[in-house]
Amino acid sequence: MAPSRRLAALALLASVGSGLLGAATPAAADPAEAAPTIRTGFESSNGARWTSAAEEDEFLRRVDAASDRVVVERIGTTVQGRPLRLVRVGDPKPRPAGVGTTALFVCSQHGDEPAGREGCLSTIRDLALSRDPKTVRPLRHTTVLFVPTANPDGREANTRGNANGVDINRDHLALTSPETRAVAAVIRDHRPDVIHDLHEYGATPRYYDKDVLALWPRNLNVADGVHDESERLTREFARPEVERAGYSTGVYGIWTDPVTGEPVRQVAGDGQERILRNTAGLKHAVGMLLETKVNARDAAEQADPALNARRRVDSQLAAVRGTLRMAEERRAAIALATGLSRATAVANRGPVFFGGADNEPPAPTDVESTPPCGYRLTREQVAQVGDELDLHGVLTVPAAGGGRFVPMHQPARRLVPLLLDARAEFHLTSAEVVRC
């Protein structure tokens, strides 16, 4: 860090107090002196408005300048020319290769769901600047990545989709949008062990009306260990942390009887491989979808929208704390699960599922019990989907006639059939199946 930048950082750190992750407040004669000097628009307005794009730019610039724990880089550009950014927060001392955990937070893929973005911005600042040991403890063994605004055009327009109307959380397989292409490149290049996807939802009173809902990858091709650690993340870390903060929780996509608490209907949350929480699992990451309720919780929130907004962001922050805690406390178990997922993929072991979910048995025709050796692409198919395969980290080798052969014996094996087999619901192209 340059001397001027280091002096600025020291000055800012001297005035940074408790962040939103629960840091202890330094002693100060005037409580106002302990408040962070770098604040989001949301924080400055006490929840009366969401942080603007310009305020986010300035916020990230100042945090980057103030901390040697932070690196901000541009990873893409939206249809309307807005930057897509990745923020890396970690110990500035280099860690040996293969040591430690990487956690990725993808914030507000849907542009009209802003609470996740606000939670990510505040967490970036707190991890970057806090001097509280509890707040920065995850950075001892974890590198934390953020895509703080995953859909800038949608955020500006307050729309679910991007500027082309694409729901980017249904595009993590086809990669038709710049937003999902940027996220795919981050996953390929950084190989995160944990992926936390931040969203919001509209409640259905009595049956589907918790402050926070969470869900793990349900796709049956996800390795057992990754699936189980993902479910543990939701049930044993994120949800308990949210409940300790005073909020109710449930399982995303499942209506429950208001008297018995028993599930009565599934309205969302299947095994679609194109949804990030499932794509994450197929790419060997422990994953979770987290949804906060946008509806007013009570008459007080109905009367005061800022109170509603603060509750939504605060519950997002509680879930983020849970994820960071798991990344620290279960890093060995996570490394074992993700390592076994990669190893068994390379060995091309186990069936391939083209349907079903962990709570829905697949049809017999959706189960390939004897996986092929690979898939053969023609020259034309390579031109059509080669870039997408590269972004997914799929390995290919030259084949006759200018085509490519895609072996199943590779780390991306869990995804390959879902991309290239005609039996897969969202396949990119129908490649030739090559039997062993």
Side-chain angles (χ1 to χ4, degrees):
M1 183 185 293
S4 59
R5 178 170 165 175
R6 186 171 299 279
L7 288 173
L10 291 172
L12 285 165
L13 281 169
S15 60
V16 171
S18 65
L20 294 178
L21 285 177
T25 303
D30 180 359
E33 293 178 4
T37 59
I38 303 178
R39 309 183 74 198
T40 65
F42 177 83
E43 292 171 329
S44 296
S45 68
N46 198 27
R49 61 180 178 80
W50 305 108
T51 302
S52 70
E55 287 172 327
E56 178 182 331
D57 290 346
E58 177 63 11
F59 177 87
L60 292 176
R61 185 195 66 77
R62 293 184 66 195
V63 171
D64 187 23
S67 174
D68 60 0
R69 303 174 194 163
V70 174
V71 175
V72 180
E73 62 177 302
R74 186 166 183 158
I75 55 172
T77 303
T78 69
V79 172
Q80 295 181 343
R82 295 185 175 88
L84 291 158
R85 293 192 179 92
L86 178 70
V87 180
R88 178 189 180 278
V89 189
D91 192 319
K93 298 186 294 295
R95 199 179 284 136
V99 174
T101 305
T102 298
L104 169 64
F105 293 86
V106 180
C107 317
S108 297
Q109 288 195 75
H110 295 142
D112 56 355
E113 301 172 5
R117 169 187 183 239
E118 299 293 347
C120 286
L121 291 173
S122 298
T123 303
I124 290 168
R125 187 267 322 286
D126 293 345
L127 290 175
L129 300 179
S130 178
R131 294 171 294 175
D132 175 66
K134 181 180 178 181
T135 301
V136 300
R137 184 177 300 140
L139 299 182
R140 293 184 304 178
H141 303 104
T142 305
T143 297
V144 190
L145 307 176
F146 297 86
V147 180
T149 301
N151 184 1
D153 292 350
R155 176 67 195 97
E156 190 68 16
N158 195 33
T159 57
R160 179 180 177 88
N162 68 3
N164 288 338
V166 175
D167 181 338
I168 65 176
N169 200 33
R170 302 296 185 276
D171 191 44
H172 288 284
L173 208 68
L175 304 181
T176 64
S177 64
E179 295 88 356
T180 53
R181 295 175 76 85
V183 171
V186 169
I187 296 173
R188 178 196 63 193
D189 297 341
H190 293 270
R191 289 176 50 171
D193 305 280
V194 180
I195 298 177
H196 179 143
D197 185 20
L198 292 77
H199 287 261
E200 299 196 81
Y201 85 104
T204 301
R206 298 181 68 234
Y207 292 96
Y208 197 49
D209 198 15
K210 303 295 186 182
D211 295 318
V212 171
L213 300 174
L215 188 61
W216 52 91
R218 289 195 181 275
N219 190 284
L220 292 175
N221 295 289
V222 174
D224 290 344
V226 168
H227 171 277
D228 294 348
E229 288 299 318
S230 298
E231 188 170 357
R232 181 173 285 108
L233 169 60
T234 65
R235 294 191 185 278
E236 299 180 19
F237 287 87
R239 287 179 58 185
E241 196 75 38
V242 169
E243 290 166 3
R244 277 192 288 271
Y247 306 111
S248 60
T249 70
V251 177
Y252 177 74
I254 304 295
W255 284 19
T256 57
D257 185 288
V259 177
T260 67
E262 293 298 314
V264 296
R265 182 182 176 191
Q266 181 171 335
V267 295
D270 59 12
Q272 283 190 19
E273 56 268 25
R274 62 182 183 164
I275 298 171
L276 181 58
R277 64 180 165 79
N278 284 314
T279 305
L282 295 167
K283 294 183 176 182
H284 318 293
V286 172
M288 179 182 68
L289 169 78
L290 196 290
E291 303 255 358
T292 47
K293 182 177 71 173
V294 300
N295 313 68
R297 192 185 194 197
D298 49 30
E301 284 194 7
Q302 187 71 39
D304 183 2
L307 183 63
N308 168 271
R310 292 197 299 272
R311 185 260 305 163
R312 289 154 60 186
V313 174
D314 189 54
S315 56
Q316 291 275 5
L317 285 164
V320 169
R321 287 197 297 271
T323 296
L324 291 174
R325 186 165 63 85
M326 180 177 179
E328 173 70 11
E329 294 179 9
R330 290 193 60 81
R331 61 184 183 277
I334 291 170
L336 177 61
T338 58
L340 282 175
S341 177
R342 288 186 171 88
T344 54
V346 172
N348 194 21
R349 293 177 182 167
V352 173
F353 300 95
F354 295 107
D358 69 354
N359 62 345
E360 179 186 355
T365 55
D366 286 333
V367 182
E368 172 61 85
S369 58
T370 307
C373 280
Y375 294 83
R376 186 177 289 112
L377 298 169
T378 66
R379 181 196 299 269
E380 292 73 24
Q381 288 174 318
V382 172
Q384 176 193 359
V385 302
D387 287 347
E388 288 70 33
L389 295 179
D390 180 65
L391 285 166
H392 282 304
V394 174
L395 304 176
T396 69
V397 296
R404 306 288 292 186
F405 176 69
V406 184
M408 285 283 281
H409 292 267
Q410 64 165 300
R413 181 261 194 191
R414 300 184 186 280
L415 200 59
V416 166
L418 305 178
L419 295 167
L420 302 179
D421 199 299
R423 291 170 290 178
E425 183 176 3
F426 304 106
H427 60 279
L428 301 185
T429 188
S430 298
E432 177 188 352
V433 179
V434 180
R435 296 291 175 182
C436 297

